[in-house]
Each structure stands twice: as C-alpha cells, then as structure tokens.
Amino acid sequence: MAPYEPEQGTSEAGEPRVGRRKAARYALPVAVAGVAAATIGLVPALASSGDPDLPKVTAQELIEKIAASDTQQLSGNVKISTDLGLPSMGGMAGGFAGGGAGGADRGEDGEGSAADPRTKLMDLASGTHTLRVAADGPDKQKVSVLEDAAEYSLIHNGDEMWAYDSASNEAYHAKGFQVSGDKGGRADKGEKDEKGEKGEGGEARVPRGMPATPEEFAEQALKAVDDTTSVTVDGTAQVAGRDAYRLVVEPKQSGSTVGRITVAVDAETGTPLKFTLTPASGGSAVIDAGFTKVDFGKPSASTFDFAPPKGAKVTEADEHAARGRDVKDEAKGGKEFKEEDRPDLKVIGEGWTSIAELKLPGGQGLPTAGSGDVPPDAQKLLDSLGDQVSGKFGSGTVFSTRLVNALVTDDGKVYAGAVTKDALVKAANAAH
C-alpha cells in the first residue's frame, strides 16, 4: 500500500502540530513498565497476511489518535531484544551495575535482594527475553520476565508492589508504592509535588526507568517532534493480528545517529503496538518493540494477587533503602552532598543533535596505566572500546554504541548524545 503523506493539520513550518501532546493521555498504566528495563526493545512477531486496507489518515490525525487513546486494560506477550553494538562482557556488566550474582544489591550473601527491580531488570538491557504483561487501570499492573527455568515478576496492586525472583526464591516488597515522576503522586520528604506541596517521605518509590512498552517508547519519541522533525504516515501493517497504521518520525538534522522511528498504531484503539528505531548507519534496528499477542479485555483480578512462597527471603523496601543510605553516608564521610558537588551540565544544540556537556569530578580525564591508576590489561580493554581523537580541545577518547556516543577529553569533560563522533568533536572544539 502506498505511503500516506500529511495533508492537513500542519504548522506554519509544514510539520504536524503536536502542541496537544502535553495533554495527551497515554492511559495504559506504566507504573510497572516504567521500571522494567533500561534501553530495551521488543522484537516484533508479525502475523502478517498482507497490509490491511484502512481509511487514509494524516500524520496529525494519527498523532491525535494516539493522544486520545484511553486504553486502561490489556494483557499479552512481548519479546525483548536490543542491539546497541556493545562488546560482550560476559557477566561483568551485571556486576558493574550491582547486578552480579552475590553482589551487594543481588541478595544471596549480600545485603540487598535478588528481586530488587532497580537492579534485576537491568538484565534486560541486552539479549533477547520474553515478557508477559497485564494492566487493569492505574493501580494494577504486572510484568513477568520468562526464562528457561525461572521467572521474575513485578506486580503493582493498589499501594503495594511485589517483585519475585523464582531462581533465588527471593521477594522484594514496597508499601505506599508509586513510580517516581507519576503525575499526582506524593513527593519525597522535602521535595515538592506537582501541587507545590512538600512530601513527608516514608512512602516507597521506585525510580522510573527507560520505556519498556511500545506505548512508552512512542510517548518519548513524540516528545521530540518539533520543526527539526519529519512526521509521515507510511502505510499499514498487522501486529499481533491487529490492523495498524505506521507512523514514521525522522530527524531533519544531519549528525544524528537516529535514522528513523516507526510506530505501529492500533487502528481501533490508537494504542501503539510496535516501535522500531533504526540507526542512521543502517543495519538491524537498535530497538524493536512489538506485541506478539495482545488482548484489550479486562484481566482476571487474580492476575495481580501475590503472596511470597514458603521459605522465600523477603526484603522490605524501607529496610533496603536505609541500608543504602548508610552506605552512601559512609562513602561521603557522613557529609551531605551540596549543590556544588554536582557536575555542571550544559546542553549544546537542540533537537536530535543536542549534546550534553559535563565536567568529571577533579577536572581530569580517564585514568591511565601510565598514571598507575589502571592495570595494563584493563588499559588494553579500555583502549579497545574507544577511539582516540584530537582537536582544538586537546585529545580524548570516543566511546561508541550504535545509538549513543560519548567523548571523554583528557581535561575531564564529557560530551554525549545520539550524535556522530564528528559531531562530538565539533562540539568539543566549539566549547574551547
């Protein structure tokens, strides 16, 4: 079927208006999905029998359809895969993230819990995984990560959150649960909520992570839509047996590592069913998000019930947080961090080619074997992961993935963004 181009509802710059996006209701609950993973994608499983013949829509109409979507109930299966082009580090990555077996945050002999979602779900940042998801309004969600001989589940029911890791038989429990950043939520002690009221603290909060469903990915992508962006409708597709439109979002600016983003939007409900991010360098998708099975009916109430199995180790969130605060206090000698202790952060440019600039503590670059701070073997590994560059700024190392690149200069500055290596060098030269 031929692509559809926008015909109406455009701004003076010729792009679809997205001013209503602040009021858009991405109503599918994301309290569980928000902590489900960092930088992950869902592999599509298209039961395609040919592109469906649907009424034509413009890009503006399709964006408005997504914004008006009021999907509050669903259940289904997804697959998770991501290809950032990172080298294989074996089990090291999990260990660095606090996720290594027996680590401080992973339970067993450590002080933490193997079921803690803030570390456990970081495992989804690479490889291929299968998820089972369910949602029933803003207070009930469940995500289960299915493995060969084990299952990890995250359940939000009312003001409680349970996480359970069957491999270790450990559970993690939080009361007064909410996801950081939820609208209308309470603030931590001393912080102000959206109404400007200070919270009293004490409630369990789990930081919102990177998107984990096609809907959350789409929400983030549509926030980037401005006059640096091209938005079109590119025909139709079938995802998980449902008819959908394909919305395509592409950067107009050169220098971005993002090639295009495609969102398959359910023709009936307006719910994003599939999300694909293709890099400008070509090849396979960096992120590919799509339901393999989806049902918009009300899940059974028992889906969100949970009680820890007999003999399971249960970690309470408040106790875990207190231990974490003790460790941090020891690390900083019992002193509170002040505003000046935070790294300076500036944003260079705008749109898809914006670059974050910050200073490393101490004003020094990466440690080297020559300084005696890094073992020779570790220095070889570090050198193999980065490319040496130089310019007006001096010299430094660029660390690259298929999507995000970062330049660390020898004088202790970092430039990072979804931009090319040349764009980082240019930004560093301009800043000196």
Side-chain angles (χ1 to χ4, degrees), residues 22-397:
K22 291 184 179 180
R25 293 176 299 153
Y26 294 89
L28 172 64
V30 296
V32 172
V35 295
T39 318
I40 64 171
L42 309 177
V43 173
L46 303 182
S48 179
S49 57
D51 294 344
D53 188 8
L54 298 173
K56 291 185 177 182
V57 296
T58 66
Q60 176 67 26
E61 290 169 340
L62 194 51
I63 289 175
E64 291 179 352
K65 188 176 185 68
I66 297 172
S69 176
D70 194 25
T71 300
Q72 300 235 10
Q73 299 170 336
L74 66 74
S75 58
N77 296 339
V78 297
K79 268 190 174 181
I80 298 180
S81 178
T82 186
D83 183 8
L84 288 171
L86 294 172
S88 175
M89 301 284 286
M92 294 176 64
F96 288 137
D105 292 324
R106 294 300 294 266
E108 297 183 10
D109 295 332
E111 293 295 328
S113 170
D116 185 348
R118 291 170 295 185
T119 53
K120 176 66 178 180
L121 289 173
M122 286 295 293
D123 294 344
L124 298 180
S126 63
T128 299
H129 307 269
T130 300
L131 293 182
R132 184 169 57 235
V133 301
D136 183 10
D139 296 325
K140 294 183 179 182
Q141 302 90 28
K142 181 177 181 178
V143 173
S144 295
V145 183
L146 310 180
E147 301 172 350
D148 290 340
E151 178 175 326
Y152 176 81
S153 294
L154 191 59
I155 306 102
H156 171 213
N157 193 342
D159 66 349
E160 287 192 284
M161 184 275 288
W162 281 98
Y164 177 68
D165 177 35
S166 68
S168 61
N169 196 28
E170 293 192 31
Y172 187 88
H173 181 226
K175 292 183 178 180
F177 171 76
Q178 69 175 108
V179 174
S180 295
D182 278 355
K183 291 182 178 181
R186 294 169 291 177
D188 283 331
K189 187 174 182 179
E191 293 181 352
K192 292 184 179 181
D193 59 19
E194 291 192 348
K195 295 180 180 180
E197 299 173 353
K198 289 189 176 181
E200 296 299 323
E203 66 270 20
R205 295 168 65 91
V206 176
R208 174 169 291 180
M210 292 297 291
T213 66
E215 186 161 14
E216 277 224 286
F217 278 115
E219 178 180 359
Q220 296 299 317
L222 293 180
K223 286 180 180 179
V225 174
D226 56 20
D227 57 6
T228 68
T229 309
S230 168
V231 185
T232 58
V233 179
D234 186 17
T236 64
Q238 276 203 342
V239 178
R242 295 187 65 89
D243 293 347
Y245 293 100
R246 285 195 296 256
L247 183 71
V248 176
V249 180
E250 296 178 287
K252 286 183 176 181
Q253 300 163 298
S254 61
S256 174
T257 55
V258 177
R260 65 158 41 186
I261 293 171
T262 303
V263 181
V265 183
D266 186 70
E268 180 181 349
T269 66
T271 302
L273 298 175
K274 182 176 182 290
F275 176 100
T276 303
L277 190 158
T278 304
S281 59
S284 62
V286 173
I287 300 171
D288 204 353
F291 282 93
T292 63
K293 179 182 178 182
V294 64
D295 184 342
F296 290 105
K298 180 182 177 69
S300 170
S302 62
T303 302
F304 311 100
D305 293 336
F306 178 80
K310 184 178 180 180
K313 174 188 173 182
V314 178
T315 299
E316 294 293 335
D318 289 344
E319 297 173 3
H320 192 198
R323 285 195 296 269
R325 285 193 295 270
D326 290 342
V327 172
K328 291 177 182 178
D329 288 342
E330 292 174 4
K332 60 189 179 185
K335 298 179 181 180
E336 292 296 324
F337 283 121
K338 298 180 180 179
E339 188 70 27
E340 55 265 29
D341 295 323
R342 299 180 181 180
D344 293 331
L345 176 63
K346 295 193 300 182
V347 176
I348 302 171
E350 62 179 359
W352 299 87
T353 57
S354 59
I355 297 171
E357 176 191 347
L358 58 89
K359 295 180 181 179
L360 294 175
Q364 297 181 344
L366 296 171
T368 64
S371 65
D373 297 326
V374 179
D377 288 344
Q379 184 65 52
K380 290 180 180 179
L381 175 61
L382 198 62
D383 291 341
S384 70
L385 297 177
D387 296 325
Q388 301 301 310
V389 295
S390 60
K392 295 179 181 178
F393 63 89
S395 59
T397 305

